[in-house]
Amino acid sequence: MTQAGTLTRADLAESLHKQVGLSRADSARLVEQILDRMCGALSDGENVKISGFGTFVLRDKGERIGRNPKTGVEVPIAPRRVLTFRASQMMRDRIVGAG
């Protein structure tokens, strides 16, 4: 099994440059605009759904009691908003098929 690498913004921009033919600068700008739009929507409390890929879902978690695993001391965990990603069925099938 090969070790997985990391896909970066630069990799996405380079793919746009090669496949669509945009300049490198325009490709990088487009990637940034897409990511900025996604971040803006999430910070405004919207979920982001990309058909065939998955959904970024915001969830509010209430206050709860946690426990320090070393000492066993109970500690309150403050309420917070968390971001999760749910892959679409198409993406899950693709990942399973690649493994």
Side-chain angles (χ1 to χ4, degrees):
M1 185 173 190
T2 61
Q3 183 172 344
T6 301
L7 181 68
T8 65
R9 292 173 186 217
D11 295 333
L12 293 172
E14 186 64 23
S15 289
L16 270 175
H17 167 68
K18 287 180 180 174
Q19 294 180 20
V20 179
L22 294 174
S23 71
R24 280 190 166 84
D26 286 344
S27 296
R29 200 169 13 261
L30 184 57
V31 168
E32 286 303 318
Q33 288 174 346
I34 291 168
L35 294 174
D36 284 347
R37 177 65 181 102
M38 289 174 64
C39 288
L42 290 165
S43 65
D44 290 342
E46 299 177 53
N47 293 332
V48 174
K49 180 176 183 175
I50 301 172
S51 183
F53 183 73
T55 306
F56 294 90
V57 179
L58 287 169
R59 211 170 60 119
D60 290 318
K61 294 181 94 174
E63 184 172 3
R64 61 192 174 94
I65 299 296
R67 190 178 313 275
N68 182 325
K70 268 189 174 176
T71 64
V73 175
E74 290 186 349
V75 182
I77 299 173
R80 62 199 163 124
R81 178 172 277 178
V82 295
L83 175 65
T84 60
F85 175 74
R86 275 191 253 160
S88 71
Q89 188 61 51
M90 185 186 303
M91 176 62 77
R92 281 187 239 144
D93 293 345
R94 199 166 169 187
I95 291 169
V96 169

